[in-house]
Amino acid sequence: MTVRVGIDVGGTFTDAVRIDDETGEITRAKVLTTAHDQSEGTMAALQRLVDDPADVGAFHHGYTVGLNAALTRTGARTGMLVTAGHRDTMDHGRVWRPFDENLYDPSWRRPHQERPMVERRLRREVPERMRENGEVLLELDEEATREELEFLKREGVEAVGVCLINAYEHPAHEKRVREIVAEVLPDAYVQTSDIWPLAREFERTFVVALDAYTGPPVVRYLERLEKRLEEAGFDSRVEIMQMDGGLRTSPSVRQAPVYTLQSGPVAGLLGAEGYSRELLDGRNLVCLDIGGTSSDLGVIIDGAAEVTNEWELEHAIPLAITTLDVRSIGAGGGSIIGLDEVGSLKVGPESAGSEPGPACYGRGGTRPAMTDAYVAMGLLQPDLFLGGEMKLDREAALAALGTVAEPLKMDPIELAQGAYSIANVTIAAALARMTTHRGYDPREFSLLGYGAAGPVHAVAVARELGIDEVVIPYFPGGFSAYGMVASRSRVEYSEATMSSLEGLGAEALNEALRRQAARCREDLLAQGVPEGEIAIECAYYGMYTGQGEDNRLPLPGLDLTDEDIPRIVEDFHAFYDRRFGYRAPEIPIFVSSVSAVGYGRQRPMTLPSTAAENGDGSGVERAVIMRETLHVDGGSHPDSAFYDRNLLRDGDEVQGPAIIDDHLGTIVVNPGATARVVSHGTLRIEV
Amino acid sequence: MDKNQFFMTAEDVQADYGVDLITAETLRNGFIEATRHMHGTLLRSSFSNIIRDGMDFGVCVHLVNDDGTTDMVAITEGCTQFAFTHQHMTNMVLDEYGLENLGQGDTVICNDEWRGGIHFGDLNLFRVIHDADGKPAFVVSDAAHVFDIGGPVAGGFNTAAESMYEEGLRISPTLITSRDKPVRSMFNLLLENTRSPLHMLGDVRALLGTLRAGEDRVRALIDRYGIETVKGSARYALGLSERRMRQALLNTPDGDYSDEIFLDDDGLSTDPLKIKVEVRIRGAEAEIDFSGTDPQSLGSVKTGWQEAARAVVGPKVVLDPRHPMNGGAMRPFQVLMPPGSMVLSLPPASQSNHVEQGAKIARLMTRVMSQAFPEHAVADDSGTSGCVIMGGVDSRPGLEGTPYGGVLLMGGAWGATETSDGISFCQSSLFNCRSMIIEYSEKAMPVVIWEHGVLVDAAGAGEYRGGFAASYTYEALADAFITPIMDSSKFPAGGLAGGGPASMSFAALVRKDDRGQVHSFKGLLPLERMTPLFGAYDDEGVPDQVDGTWGNGTLLQTSKPTAYVLKAGELMRVFSASGGGYGDPLKRPAETVLYDVRNDFTTVAQAAEIYGVKIDPDRLTLDEAATASLRERLAAERGEGYEPALAHPREWPRTQAEFEAMRKRALGAPTAVEV
């Protein structure tokens, strides 16, 4: 079987990509997301791509079931059992306020205090206490535990999370509580610190709570989907995209559904990894995915996406599991262009949404959005939008822009260019946080632009960052689904070590890593990954002794010797110097935890096969579909060419200012930039 | 009144600053981004728990004006007080040291509160960025609270200090790097005068690395846009904040608004200390006059100059909360302070425990500005930083003799507004520090954190209630020195528009039972296991802030002991003050009161007595008919001018048996919601 399918459910659309491994042919489908049951849209997309689901050899899938449940607070009715005295961990948010708009605002309240997932009534305290060294300060009161569980039972909870202080290293009480939960609430969905057995009670409580809260709806969704697939004749494995960029088989997702909270933005980064590896000689990439309401940003270093443990659902609702590092900012096509009382301009984070949408949609929107700016600038042509399926109202866009431009005594088109520029700078600043702030030089990167509006801003953002090349993949609009097809199995297991590197020594590190590697292996084998295809990678979280923020760094393997230690130490100092501007050679390195990551086989990335014959670079005129004035980069450029991407051939060159129309996306080649069509329908733009 | 007197068109911006509006906005954000990078660097690379966990620091970019003065263009706060003080400190330090004496790669350090610092524990570093002609163009600065700066008390908060000579190392503006090379003599001075030299070394390195990161970001802007454009945009950023603040002042009626507030005491005597202010608003400016404030105290709870800057936090919260702070927002304000008073104490006055006066200034100024601008009024916050300094020498195996120390932060609460409840678990608007990770703290220090929660019924009542009192319980595993930083034990936060006053700070020692259990439910514990430490209690030892007496049967006669010895195996529980309510409690929706009762924030008794809401005590269901008639009766009885009772718990259990009964009863209540 050679057909692979990736289906990515997004907020508005469900994108699907089918790859035929024999012919290399790639086809895609886009259907509306079915919010009430995402499996309907998923099946509809599948049926567009294949006649008989039985032909599908690999089915890779991502959804937003868990994310939606968490954001809208419609997850399972969940009870939490915590160490007595720590019922308010989810509400205290470590006390601080974020230093953005809310810092001085007296009406601001912390999101979980304002809109709890687990309301305080259902957070119950268990008398027990472990010391950090494992000494039992207070024995678990089993009778009280039962009473609390009986209470939760009467409250009708569907899920129970257990997270006790210091259980990451000393889980005896927590394990016993879990047994009692099974006795009192045998049907409940249960999660414990086991899912993330690392120090930091605030973060761990939320990993447990988010899993308990979103687990049941995700599990129910998977059951519905599998039933539909089975009825349709599908008989292969369903593999689910996790936030760490790896796949898990559907049955194994049930152990930790929170890992699949969000998938689309992560899948885009996998596509980017593939492009970096297969087409761009391992070039480092910054990734810019712009949709309607947000920009999702990522970084690929040496062919791999960066990982983080700092993902947050909302402020002070962290999910500290390992995830691919995707940062979302509120800058997209729907971002509102606004003005304050003394004349300061602002773009986003407020969004026009899909109803009424930007003014140019003609659905009654009167406040200007970024898409209106694109229209005013001429980047979007009313007749070309969505392949002509939807006509845009340029006059409405100009009128909306006028409401902001007029008080400033600006021309609406001038304002549009200004808003475009501010959006570029905002996006560039967020990307700088992922590059410059981490000690990477953006000039050593290319910028990969995708999503509906990513290629509109790609060249301009690259220039802000000092990046000299932009890459636009084929299918920029459905790139996430494409990345999903390219994914592979991934599991990660971690163990708290909480000791200095020298104190641990090579043997203790090896033992911890081997324990976790064995769990990886066992997990992958259970998921059907053949033994011979399993690859293990190792990492540790380290900091200087006495610090509080650890850093994930690679370890060479499971067979460390004491001779390796000095090299690991030196690598740490070098990393630290690059990232934070100093090294502290006299201070021991503290290893808070080690991780083993198990991978399945990396499937070869199939790049799109397109437009077989090569152009000779001269006949690019054949692809021109119209000429219009573009107002961009502070000037007006009459008679700028609009090209139909499908008519471009490998080797063609397009000089900016120009637009390349991709039917479902618009690629802006800014003045002074040159786009070349290279193999596989990819555009490389010299900015 | 012209609503838009301070509006500038794009043409105005070009004419005044020589920069187009879009570029000016771009670079305004560029400066903020530079400080974001500095913030991330310092947070992740520092050592002291109070910096890396507590975020007690600020990082800034300043513009050098043609006359050699500087203006703070952007800051990322961490701790918000630096957003108000670093504008001035940078001027004081560079004026003395001389900008002309600082070359590329030179860094000046200063911690002197008489030269713009807040207390000696904060290290402040300054680095000048020169333009291509070698002229000073910008300054990057950072400020951070290191754990220990020497002196008699570990951790630096020597409340009982009578002069600055008892508060640790005092550093006048001095080079700490010369052409990017460390000045060894300065490092020696720092490392040899602190109890935690390794942390000090790490923190200073992090502070220096942070300034380099900031300089790189500002240089990148200059390289890209040119020096004149970047400087013009800095002036635009400052002007924008100024225009916003002036516009807000213009929208506030002219008038004289005044009030006063009290600190509990100075830790040496039991006398309350008054701070008085009158704010005179005229058009787009305001004069803040502290005349009538008490003479300076002996203990270290007063300050030298800082309130002249920190007072602006009140106008910021009430008038212009949603915009980033910079030096421009301070321009409309003039501050008058009487020499020799609490707010302008004279050398050699001690100031190390400046914190609680800062919190009181923030509350007072918020209250006065709320009078001036009732539409944006905010009820009183808890007026305390809600933390405890803990330090000592470790005795755990392998760590014997190792000095340790840190801040245990529980936070306080904010007051309610016309549209929202106040937040719980929050520091004063002047601080915004972060609580530590318990599991790391228990590794780093000989301490067990038994509890961090809120106290039932302890929020100022109202249509919108204040935030709740926080409680925090910790056990010392080795003898520890404890310095509570928790004022507001004698004078409650007030409510607004018919809302009620908040509960006050208090503390107690707690004994475990034979099993080793610390009983706690809804912030309450059996009184027979509690020994009053400070605060108001009745004759039987019940915490009673309505009818009890301050200091009655307590071990201490001040809320500000210095280095109180908590012996190994002893437990201390501290309760912070809470926030005031807003509006008539009878107007709070009954369903919302029920929610608070069901979630153990409010008792059935308080719901009836204050909110007029009848709730079945066992089933926790709302009795709508009884609520309607009760509310009608209470409304008639209360009449005009009614103020709800000070927020206080209704059901302290006296014995363990009573405690168990209370807990069991709460467990018995079946659900009353659809599931």
Side-chain angles (χ1 to χ4, degrees), chain A residues 64-75 115-117 213 313-314:
Chain A
T64 59
V65 175
L67 185 68
N68 289 351
L71 286 173
T72 59
R73 306 290 195 269
T74 52
R115 300 171 58 229
M117 293 187 296
Y213 189 65
L313 180 79
E314 292 160 17

Side-chain angles (χ1 to χ4, degrees), chain A residues 97 129 147 154 433 582, chain B residues 33 45 432 442 664 667:
Chain A
R97 304 183 300 277
R129 191 62 157 88
E147 286 169 355
R154 287 195 300 278
R433 291 184 193 188
Y582 75 89
Chain B
E33 275 308 312
S45 66
N432 193 32
E442 292 187 358
K664 292 270 182 190
L667 273 172

Side-chain angles (χ1 to χ4, degrees), chain A residues 104-137:
Chain A
Y104 297 96
D105 182 355
S107 65
W108 181 78
R109 289 206 295 157
R110 208 168 278 119
H112 197 271
Q113 212 173 102
E114 181 87 35
R115 300 171 58 229
M117 293 187 296
V118 184
E119 71 175 81
R120 191 167 190 249
R121 179 174 178 76
L122 302 180
R123 302 196 297 262
R124 311 302 297 185
E125 299 191 336
V126 179
E128 69 85 31
R129 191 62 157 88
M130 284 281 182
R131 242 184 85 183
E132 44 82 30
N133 63 1
E135 178 193 333
V136 177
L137 280 172

Side-chain angles (χ1 to χ4, degrees), chain A residues 10 119 176 215 265 282 394 412 437 450 638 666:
Chain A
E119 71 175 81
R176 181 63 192 133
R394 186 159 197 270
H437 294 202
Y450 50 94
T666 299

Side-chain angles (χ1 to χ4, degrees), chain B residues 19 22 34 103 165 195 260 263 266 280 318 333 343 347 446 467 493 501 545 577 580-581 616:
Chain B
V19 185
I22 304 303
Y165 307 116
R195 294 173 178 81
E260 58 190 33
L263 280 159
D266 71 346
R280 297 184 270 272
V318 177
F333 300 95
V343 294
Q545 301 178 348
D616 181 292

